[in-house]
Every structure is written in C-alpha cells, then in structure tokens.
C-alpha cells in the first residue's frame, strides 16, 4: 500500500494512527539518536514556516528513511510549538503547513481529494472528475475567514443547498480545514521538564521568532498604540477615566474602535471598570455583542456620523484629511513609523498574512 | 393604557390562553424564555432568563402572568435559565429570518397593503430557501408575527452551529450584497484566469443567482422584442446604438442562438456588448434581491415571538403557517381571535382601518365597536376601555 501521503500530510488522523502503531514513546522520540534527523526536521518545519514556505518532499523521492523522518518530525514540531506556546507562531505554522498541503492537493486526483476530505469530516460529492459539490453549511464553515469577494456565498453557484467547486476551489477550502485543525489541536499539555530538555531546539526557534516579530511589531495591531488614537477616542477615554458617563452612541464608538484595533473584550471591559454605573456583566454582554461572536463585526461610526451625534471632539489637522477614526489610527501609526524609520532601518512587514482577525467589510 | 383598560385586556388574554393550545418550539426545555408583562409593557421591561421543563409550567405561567409579549430564544442552551449569557452554554441556534414591512422600500402607509407586500416578500424568500438553499418544507416554519410582518424559522440540524458571520453570509446571499457579476457570469473576457481553469463550472451554470438573472435577462430581451419599440428600448441603454440594437434583435430572433442563450451561454451577447447585459443584470438584481433584517438573522441568541401567543401591540395572534396556508392567509382576518361582542371604548385619535373584512372609520370619543376591533385599538394604545 502506498503510504507516501501520510508523510506529506502528517496531520491527518490516519498519519497519527500510523505513528501510534509504530510504538515509539515520546521519550524515545525526544532522546533516541535514531530520531535525531526527525527532530532536526521537526525544528526546520517551524523555521521554514516562519521564514516563508514550508517545503514538502517530492513524493517520488521519498524512501523508507525519509518517509520516517518526515512522518515523525511532525509530532516533534507540535511538541516544540506547544513548549513555546506563542499564538502568532502557532497560527503562522498552521497557515504554512496548510498552504503547502493545499498546493500539493490541487495537483492530486479527485479520488484522493474525496478521501482526504472525508478524513476531515467534510462530505464532498463528486459530479465529474473536476467538479464537486459541498453543502453550503460546510462551505460557510470553511470559507468564512476568506475575505476575497469570489468566496462570498452570493458569488457561488448554489443549487438545492449545494455549492459547486472546482478542484482548485476544493484544495483552497481544504487549506482552511487543515489550518483550523492544526490550530485547534495546539498546544499540547506538556510538563515544563520536558520542555526544558528541548531548550537547544527551542532557543533557535525563539530567536527567529523574536527577529520576525521585531520587524512588524510597531505596525502590528495587537499592540495598542494609544498615542495614535484619534482625538474623539482620547476624549472618550478621558471622560471614562474621570468618572463621567458616556452617551450610548459614544460608548459604542469607543468600544468598537478599541475592538477593531485589536484590544480584547477583557481589556475593554477593564477600561469601563471605573465608570460610575459599571455593571461588569452588562458591560461584558454589550461589548461581546459589539465584538460579535467570532470577531470584530461592528465597525466604529465614520467621522460624519460622529459629528451628527455630537461625538466629534478636538478635531485636528489630520482629522480633516480623512473620514474615519480607524483611518486616523492607521495613518498616524504609519506617519510615526515613517519618522522612526528615518533613524533606523525597518521594513514594514505586517506579518499578518493570515488575516484571521475577523474584520469584515 | 390606563389600569381599567389593562385589566380588561388581561381578562381577555387570560381567556385566550386558557382556551387555546400552545405551539411549543423544538426542544423547548433548552430554550431561554422572556416575557413583557402587561403592567410593565409601557417601559418594555423584559423578564428573561426563564426556562420551562414542561408544557404545563409554560401554560401556568401564561395564564397567571398574562404577558403582553412572549418570546423564546432561537438558541439552545445547556442552562437556559442562567442569569449570565456566558454561563448558559450555547449549543446551537435555529436560523431565523425577519421580514418586516418597515424594511421594504416604498412602504405604503396602509397597514393592509403593507402586510400584502411583506407577504409577497416572504413567498419570495421561501422560494430562495427551498431552491437555492435546499431546505425541505418540513424544516421551514413560517410565522405571522402578529405585527408588521413574518418570521421564518429553520430548524434543520446542519444550520444550528453556524456563527453570526456565517449567518450574515446567508443574508448577503439573499440580499445580493457583494454580488459580483463578473464572477457570476464567469466570462473569460472579465476573468482572465478562468481561461486556465477550464469551463467546468459552466456545467452548473443554471443555479443560484446566475439562474435567476439568466431568466431575468431572457425575459427582458423577449419583452423588448415583443414590444413595438424594441429598438427604442435597447438603445435607451448606455453605449447601445442602432447598429448594436439590431444585432441583438437579430440574435434573439435566431432560434439556435436563442436556445444557446437560454442554456446560459451568453458569449454571443457578450460579444455584441457586455455592458448591456451587465446593466440588465443590475436591474434584475434590484428586482430580485430580498430585504431582510440582517441583525435578527445574525443574532444567535435572539429572543423571538412564540407562535400561538398574542401580540400585545395589536391583540393579533402569532400564527404558524405552512407554505400553502400562507398563500391564502389574510392576517387581518385569520389572526383575529376575539369575537364581535359590542364593546365600549374611548378613542383618542381618529382611526381608519380594516379588520375582519370590516372597514372602520372612527372619530374621537366614546364608541361601541366589536370586541376584536376594540382590543386592536386598545393594544395599539389609541383607545381606552369604557364601562
């Protein structure tokens, strides 16, 4: 039986079954000299993901040894990722593993695509060798983070609940499925002793990770830069901090702004903690509502709307050039980073290829 | 509503709840319930986070508390009565659509016309739900809201775990939001990368929005051809001169070509003028798209009116309907539960309306009118009970 695909797609249940069947203990995987190549490859997978592309071996060149290295390197990668347990790193790894799998899948035959989909619990119905049907609910589960218009359900051909997909479409959707699966399966629960033992591997990855993060940190939205807030939001925050009550429209504007630039619900709840009528449950409920169930759904109101409701305070020069508080924030950050980069050379790499932050236009 | 009116309405609602069967939602034990009581209706205070373990408990609540408005959650929870939303343990939600007269363009002022329009919209939604989304009749419950429109509840298992964003995609589909004609028409001239991908998808060209727009374009072309001024109709489009217009007319007269178009192959039309087809399609979108309240569908924890209950703002019954019942349904007759006993009320502003097949044109002051109409006006807050 041809098992090559287990090494190419080591995250599928069959692959982990196969590894289990080999009867190799975690200790042996971590310590035995026999598996040193697998461990090195495991570390490399992560470094490759950080650097850009996770390479997969050519199926034709896999011999028994390289098959084992490839197959066993994956659980080792997962152990390393779990020890570091960095959200960005995990997501980046999941994305890159999924991307390179998708490239391979788009070249596979339809029979294999169907089997592969089944492994993921996705019920694909083939119509011809290159046309497939997928129930729209499955389609939505897989596509809802994909922002391009062509993936919107309204632009798909749908008949009696089934969405038509080309082979390329299917491979792209499977990429999402793979990404979710890897993300959701991490981190593993590991003892700190075990991680300490792996420090030599971890050190190298951590260094690469730091390097990468440094490159985009100043523009990364997860780091909130209060200096770049527009005057209206600054005003709202100062009102809250001084114990005044905000009108509902202003509360909404401020909350949706803060959520959109990457603050968590908890952080925003804490900002209101000082409000005189603070009721944590109610506040949390409202903020979660603004945040939506899965991401930042509501956009803050535009400058025009802010003016209409009398919530535009302290308009400055930059305000007059744009029409939305979020644009203000981004522009201001960009201006600041441009000033800084005149002093030191930095590259504006956002590092956010995987735009999973759920902001939908 | 003064206290005398309130106690009259209470008595009437109570006798309704005592005598009529309830419609229980699927898995009612897993739902959160909310009520606005008649005494508290003026500030819309809702008593929520309730749950009922049996039909009897719910019945007892209705007949003893006599709510003006009854709601249950579209969501299923592990602990529906937890006071805290995050402690309820959400396990899924029905898919809900809210068609309200207020959301339709060019809404008439007249209540009955308004309801007619929204019924047409509801029938159109039903068509989308069965054909495009493939829901079976058994999974679709249509409900007259007792107010200004209809709700559709879908209880199929597949949809229960859709999140808010995914539900918004369903709404976007129905309202054609983000619809991109170039992708839809899949024409090589617009989408160069398709040349590589082959034409596989064309096998399924007659589905979804494409199918609806195909039909619209074909009937548009045929209608213009049948009219005496085909040339005029076509040249009214931007960029269409007489030469192109006659080419289109000739094309549509050619049986073979027309069949190709009917099969969804628009290449020859595109070759004459792609913008014409796109502009007819744009028109079609405006005619075909639905107007549905998006926040209701996207809210997976929403409370929705209980079928079989009374709407405290109209005194009309919230009625579940099948598709064929909806076709012949007249809410202003069929949703009336009260009788014709002459009832004395004091009307505060002039009232003109139709109810139960009767036309009312009432002046301010004390009048005697049938009970069903009296309750309608009292619930709407424009009359008080006199005795």
């Amino acid at each position: 039986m041809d098992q090559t695909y287990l090494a190419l797609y080591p995250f599928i249940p069959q692959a982990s079954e196969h590894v289990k069947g080999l009867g190799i203990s975690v200790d042996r995987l971590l310590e035995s000299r026999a598996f040193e190549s697998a461990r090195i490859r495991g570390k490399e997978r992560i470094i490759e993901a950080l650097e850009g592309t996770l390479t997969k071996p050519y199926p034709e060149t896999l011999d028994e040894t390289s098959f084992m290295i490839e197959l066993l390197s994956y659980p080792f990668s997962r152990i390393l990722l779990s020890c570091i347990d960095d959200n960005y790193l995990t997501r980046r790894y999941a994305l890159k593993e999924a991307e390179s799998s998708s490239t391979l899948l788009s070249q596979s035959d339809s029979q294999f695509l169907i089997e592969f989909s089944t492994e993921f619990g996705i019920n694909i119905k083939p119509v011809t060798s290159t046309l497939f049907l997928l129930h729209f609910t499955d389609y939505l589960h897989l596509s809802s983070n994909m922002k391009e218009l062509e993936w919107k359900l309204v632009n798909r051909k749908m008949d009696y609940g089934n969405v038509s997909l080309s082979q390329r479409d299917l491979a792209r959707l499977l990429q999402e499925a793979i990404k979710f699966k890897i993300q959701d399966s991490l981190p593993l629960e590991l003892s700190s002793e075990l991680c300490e033992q792996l420090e030599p591997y971890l050190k190298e990855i951590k260094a690469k990770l730091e390097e990468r993060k440094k490159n985009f940190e100043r523009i990364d939205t997860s780091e909130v830069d209060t200096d770049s807030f527009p005057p209206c939001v600054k005003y709202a925050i100062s009102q809250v901090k001084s114990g005044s009550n905000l009108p509902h429209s202003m509360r909404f504007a401020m909350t949706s702004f803060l959520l959109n630039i990457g603050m968590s619900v908890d952080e925003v709840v804490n900002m209101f903690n000082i409000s005189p009528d603070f009721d944590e449950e109610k506040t949390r409920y409202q903020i979660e509502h603004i945040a939506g169930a899965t991401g930042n759904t509501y956009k803050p109101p535009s400058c025009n709307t802010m003016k209409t409701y009398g919530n535009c305070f302290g308009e400055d020069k930059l305000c007059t050039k744009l029409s939305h508080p979020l644009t203000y924030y981004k522009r201001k950050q960009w201006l600041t980073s441009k000033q800084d980069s005149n002093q030191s050379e930095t590259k504006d790499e956002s590092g956010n290829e995987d735009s999973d932050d759920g902001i939908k236009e | 509503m003064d206290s005398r009116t309130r106690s009259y309405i209470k008595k009437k609602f109570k006798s309704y709840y005592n005598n009529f069967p309830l419609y229980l939602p699927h898995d009612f034990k897993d739902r959160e319930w909310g009520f606005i009581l008649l005494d508290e209706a003026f500030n819309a205070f809702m008593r929520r986070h309730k749950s009922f373990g049996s039909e009897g408990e719910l019945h007892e609540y209705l007949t003893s508390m006599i709510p003006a408005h009854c709601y249950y959650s579209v969501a299923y929870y592990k602990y529906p009565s937890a006071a805290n939303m995050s402690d309820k343990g959400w396990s899924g939600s029905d898919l809900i659509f809210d068609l309200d007269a207020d959301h339709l363009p060019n809404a008439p002022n007249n209540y009955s016309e308004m309801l007619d329009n929204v019924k047409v919209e509801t029938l159109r939604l039903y068509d989308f739900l069965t054909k495009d989304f493939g829901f079976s009749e058994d999974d679709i419950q249509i409900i007259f809201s007792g107010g200004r429109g209809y709700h559709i509840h879908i209880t199929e298992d597949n949809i229960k775990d859709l999140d808010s964003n995914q539900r918004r995609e369903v709404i976007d589909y129905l309202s054609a939001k983000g619809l991109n004609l170039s992708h839809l028409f899949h024409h090589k001239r617009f989408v160069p990368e398709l040349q590589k991908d082959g034409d596989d998808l064309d096998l399924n060209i007659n589905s979804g929005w494409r199918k609806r727009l195909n039909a619209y374009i074909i009937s548009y072309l045929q209608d213009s051809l049948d009219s005496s001024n085909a040339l005029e109709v076509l040249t009214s489009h931007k960029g269409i001169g007489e030469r192109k217009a006659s080419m289109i007319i000739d094309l549509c007269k050619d049986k073979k070509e027309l069949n190709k178009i009917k099969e969804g192959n628009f290449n020859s039309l595109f070759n004459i003028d792609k913008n014409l087809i796109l502009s007819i399609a744009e028109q079609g979108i405006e005619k075909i798209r639905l107007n549905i309240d998006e926040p209701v569908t996207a809210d997976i924890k929403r409370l929705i009116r209980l079928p079989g209950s009374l709407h405290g703002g109209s005194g009309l019954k919230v009625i579940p309907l099948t598709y064929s019942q909806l076709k012949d349904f007249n809410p202003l007759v069929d949703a009336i539960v009260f009788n014709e006993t002459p009832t004395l009320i004091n009307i505060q502003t002039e009232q003109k309306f139709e109810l139960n097949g009767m036309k009312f044109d009432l002046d301010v002051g004390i009048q005697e009118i049938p009970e069903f109409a009296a309750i309608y006006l009292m619930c709407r807050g424009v009359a008080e009970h006199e005795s």
Side-chain angles (χ1 to χ4, degrees), chain A residues 38-106:
Chain A
R39 291 195 295 271
I40 291 173
R41 171 67 183 140
K43 178 198 71 188
E44 263 175 13
R45 291 182 98 93
I46 302 173
I47 298 216
E48 282 179 3
L50 269 174
E51 287 178 342
T53 314
L54 199 157
T55 55
K56 299 257 173 188
Y58 289 106
E60 307 80 44
T61 63
L62 273 179
D63 56 20
E64 207 169 317
T65 317
S66 52
F67 172 80
M68 284 300 281
I69 291 174
E70 202 60 25
L71 186 65
L72 291 175
S73 66
Y74 177 71
F76 189 69
S77 295
R78 283 171 29 98
I79 292 172
L80 295 176
L81 288 167
S82 303
C83 285
I84 297 174
D85 192 17
D86 176 277
N87 196 22
Y88 169 76
L89 181 65
T90 304
R91 284 168 46 150
R92 172 91 183 174
Y93 177 79
L95 173 69
K96 292 297 164 181
E97 184 77 59
E99 273 179 4
S100 50
S101 304
S102 175
T103 311
L104 276 175
L105 284 172
S106 61

Side-chain angles (χ1 to χ4, degrees), chain A residues 42-287:
Chain A
K43 178 198 71 188
E44 263 175 13
R45 291 182 98 93
I46 302 173
I47 298 216
E48 282 179 3
L50 269 174
E51 287 178 342
T53 314
L54 199 157
T55 55
K56 299 257 173 188
Y58 289 106
E60 307 80 44
T61 63
L62 273 179
D63 56 20
E64 207 169 317
T65 317
S66 52
F67 172 80
M68 284 300 281
I69 291 174
E70 202 60 25
L71 186 65
L72 291 175
S73 66
Y74 177 71
F76 189 69
S77 295
R78 283 171 29 98
I79 292 172
L80 295 176
L81 288 167
S82 303
C83 285
I84 297 174
D85 192 17
D86 176 277
N87 196 22
Y88 169 76
L89 181 65
T90 304
R91 284 168 46 150
R92 172 91 183 174
Y93 177 79
L95 173 69
K96 292 297 164 181
E97 184 77 59
E99 273 179 4
S100 50
S101 304
S102 175
T103 311
L104 276 175
L105 284 172
S106 61
Q107 294 148 11
S108 309
D109 63 50
S110 70
Q111 191 50 40
F112 182 75
L113 279 176
I114 293 164
E115 281 168 26
F116 192 90
S117 305
T118 313
E119 278 280 305
F120 274 81
I122 301 164
N123 186 13
I124 281 284
K125 285 155 270 184
V127 180
T128 67
S129 62
T130 46
L131 179 69
F132 306 87
L133 296 179
L134 180 62
H135 193 257
F136 83 92
T137 49
D138 288 329
Y139 177 83
L140 288 177
H141 283 302
L142 294 175
S143 68
S144 61
N145 281 321
M146 290 153 69
K147 302 288 184 292
E148 300 88 335
L149 267 186
E150 64 169 304
W151 294 102
K152 279 188 77 66
L153 189 62
V154 68
N155 288 320
R156 289 282 142 180
K157 298 199 169 105
M158 180 163 68
D159 207 16
Y160 293 96
N162 290 314
V163 175
S164 307
L165 301 172
S166 70
Q167 181 152 352
R168 206 172 53 175
D169 291 339
L170 179 55
R172 179 66 185 82
L173 289 173
L174 286 172
Q175 176 181 322
E176 292 294 294
I178 295 166
K179 190 181 76 183
F180 292 144
K181 185 182 168 71
I182 296 174
Q183 263 171 218
D184 293 348
S185 71
L186 288 168
L188 308 164
E189 278 202 40
L190 300 172
S191 70
S192 51
E193 292 85 49
L194 190 148
C195 289
E196 267 162 39
Q197 187 190 333
L198 297 173
E199 199 45 41
Y201 296 99
L202 298 175
K203 225 167 95 185
E204 197 182 331
I205 297 168
K206 282 177 186 162
K208 286 271 180 210
L209 177 63
E210 282 319 303
E211 194 184 311
R212 196 175 160 80
K213 279 191 167 179
K214 234 184 223 139
N215 280 338
F216 61 75
E217 204 149 63
R218 68 184 68 233
I219 305 188
D220 184 8
T221 46
S222 68
E223 283 279 319
V224 170
D225 168 14
T226 48
D227 288 342
S228 298
F229 284 0
C232 51
V233 174
K234 279 187 186 159
Y235 172 81
I237 294 172
S238 72
Q239 288 294 101
V240 170
K241 288 206 167 137
S242 70
S244 315
N245 260 324
L246 290 179
H248 276 302
S249 54
M250 191 59 160
R251 218 174 255 243
F252 173 80
M254 170 178 155
T255 305
S256 54
F257 177 86
L258 296 173
L259 291 169
N260 267 283
I261 60 164
M263 274 175 79
S264 68
V265 170
D266 283 327
E267 286 166 330
V268 182
V269 171
N270 282 335
M271 293 207 77
F272 281 107
N273 202 342
I274 196 166
S275 263
D277 60 348
F278 181 74
D279 167 348
E280 171 158 20
E281 254 336 295
K282 203 171 135 201
T283 308
R284 179 172 294 277
Y285 177 72
Q286 288 167 345
I287 293 172

Side-chain angles (χ1 to χ4, degrees), chain A residues 152 155 160-161 164 281 294, chain B residues 84 131-132 165 172 180 204:
Chain A
K152 279 188 77 66
N155 288 320
Y160 293 96
S164 307
E281 254 336 295
T294 54
Chain B
N84 206 316
K131 291 190 181 133
D132 297 39
N165 279 333
D172 287 353
N180 182 314
N204 207 23

Side-chain angles (χ1 to χ4, degrees), chain B residues 148-167:
Chain B
R148 303 155 73 86
Y150 294 86
H151 300 153
I152 283 189
H153 297 206
I154 293 180
T155 49
E156 194 200 65
D157 279 339
N158 278 328
I159 53 83
K160 285 188 180 156
D161 63 346
L162 293 178
D163 68 22
S164 294
N165 279 333
Q166 291 156 356
R167 286 166 199 250

Side-chain angles (χ1 to χ4, degrees), chain B residues 239-254:
Chain B
I240 302 295
E242 282 194 16
R243 191 181 62 88
K244 279 186 179 172
S246 2
M247 281 168 79
I248 290 166
I249 293 171
D250 290 344
L251 191 72
C252 296
K253 279 182 181 158
D254 182 336

Side-chain angles (χ1 to χ4, degrees), chain B residues 27 54 87 90-91 98 145 153 178 199 224-225 227 249 269 315 379:
Chain B
D27 300 321
S54 71
D87 292 341
W90 183 83
S91 67
D98 180 17
S145 73
H153 297 206
D199 275 338
S224 7
L225 245 59
S227 73
I249 293 171
L269 279 174
C379 283

